[in-house]
Amino acid sequence: MTTIIEKSGKPTATTPRSTSVAADQVRFPTLHHIFALTKRGLLKTMRTPEALIDVTIQPIIFLLLFTYLFGGAMMGSTADYLQFLLPGIYVQSILFSAVAIGVNLNQDVTKGVTDRFRSLPISRSAPLIGAVTSDVLRYLVLSASLLITGFIMGFRVETSIWAMFGAVALAIGFSLCLCWVSVFVGMLARSPGAVQGILFLAIFPLTFGSNVFVQTDTMPGWLQAFVKVNPATSLADATRGLLSGGPVASPLLYCLLWMAGLLAVFFPLAVRAYRRRV
Amino acid sequence: MNTTSTDLAIDAQGLTKRFGDTQALAGIDLSARRGTVLGVLGPNGAGKTTAVRILATLLRPDSGTARIHGFDVQKQATQVRQNIGLTGQYASVDEDLTGMENLILIGQLLNLRTSAARTRANELLSWFDLTAAAGRPAKTYSGGMRRRLDLAASLVGRPSVIFLDEPTTGLDPSKREEMWDVVRSLVDDGSTVLLTTQYLDEAEALADDISVIDHGRVIASGTPDELKRVVGGQTLLVRPTDLDNVPQVTEILARIAGEQPASTRTGVLQVGVKDDAAMHTLVTELALARISVTELSLRLPSLDEVFFALTGKPTGSADITEGDAA
C-alpha cells in the first residue's frame, strides 16, 4: 500500500494559516454554527431508522392499533374513539419523543463528539441549541404524519384550522419545556441506555396514568386523583379542546402552568449539568 | 514573562488536576518549540490524556498555567481553539454522518461557508485516501480509516498545534507507519505536534523531545538520546565468527569493561561500557588477536530500559517493541 504522502505530494492543504480564508468566512458565525448543528441532528435522524420511526411510523401504528382494537369496546364506534384518541396519541408521542434529545446528547458526550466540538472555537451552547432546534423539526414531522394519518382514517378537526395550528404550537411548546428534563437526565446518566431507562420510567406512568387513552371518570378514585394532576392529562384536554372543541381555557391554563414549572425547574438544572459535563 | 515564551508553541507549567481521590496531574511542566514534535510518554493512567485535555481547553487545571502560542488556555480559550487540532480516542467524529458530512460540519463550525467547507473536506479526504469512502457513514469505516478521518477532522482549520492522543493505539504495524508518515509531513509543514503514546518506539521515531510521565509527574525529559544517557552506559556487543574464540573475547571484554560480559544468546557477548573509546580499544585488541567477528556494535539502551530505570517497573509495551527485534 502506498503511503498517504506519496499520493498527493506535499500536503500544502495543511499548511498552517498560510492561506487567507477570510473571503470564505461567514457573517453571522453563531447562526451558521446552529444551522450546521441542526442539520447534523436531522441527518442523524434520517440515518438512524429507529429515530425516524419514533416520529413517523410508531405514532401511526399506535393510532391504527388502538383505534381499531379498542375503539368498539371503548366508545361503541371506532370513529368516535378516533376523535378522542388522536389528541391522546399526539400527547403520548410528544412525551415518548422527548427521550431522544437526552439520549443523543449523552451519546455525544460518551462517544467523544462533544470533545471535538469543544475543541473548536464555537459557542458552548451551540450544540445544545442545535439539538433543540432539530428536535423542533422532528416534532413538526411527527405532527404532520400523525394528523395526516388521522385525516385519512376519518379524524375531523371540529374547530378551525387556526385552532389546529394552535394545538400543534402547544404540543411543540410543551415539548420545548419537557426537553430540559431529558437534557438534564442525559447529562447526568452514564450511558445512552441509562438515559432511556430513567426517562421511560418517568414517562410510562405519566403517559398511561392519564386520560390519553381512557376517560378519567371510568377510573377508580385514587387513580383519578393522579390522572387529574398529571400534565399529560391537561395537555391532552387542551389539545382535544383545540382539535375537537370543548373547554380549552382551563386545561390550557393548567398546561401552561406545568410548562412554566418544568421550565423553571429543569432549564437551570439542565443548563448547569450541561455546562458541567460539556 | 520569560523571553523564550514566544518560541514555544506549547508551554505548560505546574499543571495539577485531581479527580476525587485520584491526583491525575501532580504538577507537570510541558513545552514544545514551534515546528517540533513533543512526545509524551507514559503508561496507562499516567495522566497523559488529562494533560492533553487541559492543553486543548477541554478541562480546567486545578492550578498551573498553560499557553498555546502565548494564549492562555483558560483566559483565551477561543484564541487557543483557533490554533489547535485535537485527535484522540475521545475527540471523535460523528459515527452516523459520512466522512464528507463530518468534515463539512467541522468546516462550518470553523466559520467556513458551506461551499468552502466542502472544498476543504474534499482536499483532506483525498489527502487521507478517503475519497472513495467519503459518502459512507463513519461507523462503517475500518480502524485505520477512522483514525485518518479523525485526524483529517482535526486538520480542517489548518491548526498550527496538533494534539494526537495515542494516535496509533490499536492500529496494525503498517497502519502505524502510515500514521507516522502523516505526523512527519505535518511537522515538515511547520506544525507543532504533541503526541502521547505508550509505545517507546513511536516516541523515538517521531519526537524531537520526550517527556516521560508517570503518576501525574514528569519523571524525565529531553531528547531521545539524552534520555538514553540518563540511564548511563552503552552496551558493547560482539559475536565472534568462530565459537572457539568466545573464551578469548570474553577475556578481552572483561579487561576493557572491568566486568564480566553477559551472554544472552549463544556466541553473543555483551557488556556495559562507560565511554565511546571502548569501541576503539576492542577493535584494536580483536585485530591484534586476529579474531574475526560477524557482529560488533555499540548501542544506546532502548527506551524500554530507560523507562524501567526511571520508574522501576516495566512499561507493559514490550509486546509492541518486540517487532523491532524480530
Side-chain angles (χ1 to χ4, degrees), chain B residues 121-300:
Chain B
N122 273 317
E123 251 170 41
L124 286 164
L125 287 167
S126 97
W127 188 42
F128 282 101
D129 205 12
L130 290 169
T131 305
R136 275 166 39 197
K139 65 181 156 206
T140 67
Y141 283 23
S142 71
M145 290 162 74
R146 254 307 282 277
R147 290 303 167 85
R148 301 208 298 273
L149 181 62
D150 279 337
L151 188 52
S154 68
L155 299 179
V156 173
R158 298 180 172 85
S160 54
V161 177
I162 300 154
F163 297 103
L164 302 175
D165 192 35
E166 303 203 2
T168 63
T169 301
L171 290 188
D172 61 49
S174 72
K175 298 285 183 290
R176 286 179 80 203
E177 295 281 349
E178 249 175 53
M179 195 57 98
W180 289 4
D181 285 335
V182 172
V183 174
R184 289 187 185 112
S185 65
L186 292 173
V187 177
D188 286 346
D189 248 30
S191 299
T192 309
V193 174
L194 185 154
L195 168 100
T196 77
T197 182
Q198 300 185 46
Y199 306 141
L200 304 159
D201 58 336
E202 183 160 286
E204 191 168 19
L206 296 174
D208 297 291
D209 295 287
I210 297 175
S211 288
V212 185
I213 67 174
D214 195 34
H215 297 298
R217 282 178 200 286
V218 176
I219 54 170
S221 62
T223 64
D225 282 346
E226 281 168 357
L227 269 180
K228 289 168 177 171
R229 285 196 197 100
V230 169
V231 193
Q234 310 171 48
T235 304
L236 204 49
L237 183 144
V238 191
R239 172 150 59 171
T241 315
D242 191 344
L243 275 177
D244 293 344
N245 288 328
V246 167
Q248 206 181 342
V249 174
T250 306
E251 188 237 322
I252 294 170
L253 280 174
R255 191 151 20 92
I256 296 169
E259 63 179 285
Q260 213 49 40
S263 180
T264 48
R265 284 174 285 155
T266 314
V268 181
L269 297 161
Q270 56 180 54
V271 71
V273 292
K274 292 284 174 285
D275 66 313
D276 300 356
M279 186 70 160
H280 272 290
T281 322
L282 177 65
V283 171
T284 315
E285 296 258 349
L286 289 173
L288 283 172
R290 298 186 172 276
I291 296 169
S292 60
V293 295
T294 45
E295 200 179 339
L296 178 64
S297 65
L298 181 68
R299 66 170 188 88
L300 289 164

Side-chain angles (χ1 to χ4, degrees), chain A residues 68-152:
Chain A
Y68 297 114
L69 198 63
F70 298 134
M74 292 276 195
M75 293 189 171
S77 104
T78 54
D80 286 348
Y81 189 54
L82 175 64
Q83 209 63 23
F84 175 81
L85 180 69
L86 186 132
I89 294 282
Y90 196 15
V91 171
Q92 180 211 25
S93 309
I94 290 283
L95 291 178
F96 278 17
S97 299
V99 174
I101 190 171
V103 170
N104 289 341
L105 286 172
N106 185 284
Q107 215 160 49
D108 282 355
V109 171
T110 48
K111 292 210 168 169
V113 177
T114 300
D115 276 338
R116 163 79 62 210
F117 289 156
R118 283 195 54 211
S119 74
L120 298 171
I122 59 171
S123 153
R124 203 165 177 182
S125 52
L128 181 58
I129 298 171
V132 174
T133 316
S134 58
D135 234 25
V136 170
L137 296 173
R138 286 176 59 240
Y139 286 123
L140 283 173
V141 171
L142 175 124
S143 307
S145 67
L146 189 68
L147 284 169
I148 289 168
T149 310
F151 294 148
I152 294 169

Side-chain angles (χ1 to χ4, degrees), chain A residues 99 103 185 189 191-205:
Chain A
V99 174
V103 170
V185 174
S191 68
V195 178
Q196 189 156 357
I198 294 167
L199 284 172
F200 268 121
L201 209 63
I203 284 172
F204 260 93

Side-chain angles (χ1 to χ4, degrees), chain A residues 144-191:
Chain A
S145 67
L146 189 68
L147 284 169
I148 289 168
T149 310
F151 294 148
I152 294 169
M153 289 167 67
F155 180 80
R156 291 293 167 257
V157 173
E158 290 159 33
T159 49
S160 69
I161 189 147
W162 301 113
M164 185 187 82
F165 285 129
V168 172
L170 177 68
I172 290 174
F174 187 88
S175 55
L176 276 177
C177 298
L178 185 66
C179 77
W180 302 108
V181 180
S182 182
V183 172
F184 179 58
V185 174
M187 290 296 98
L188 288 189
R190 274 183 193 280
S191 68

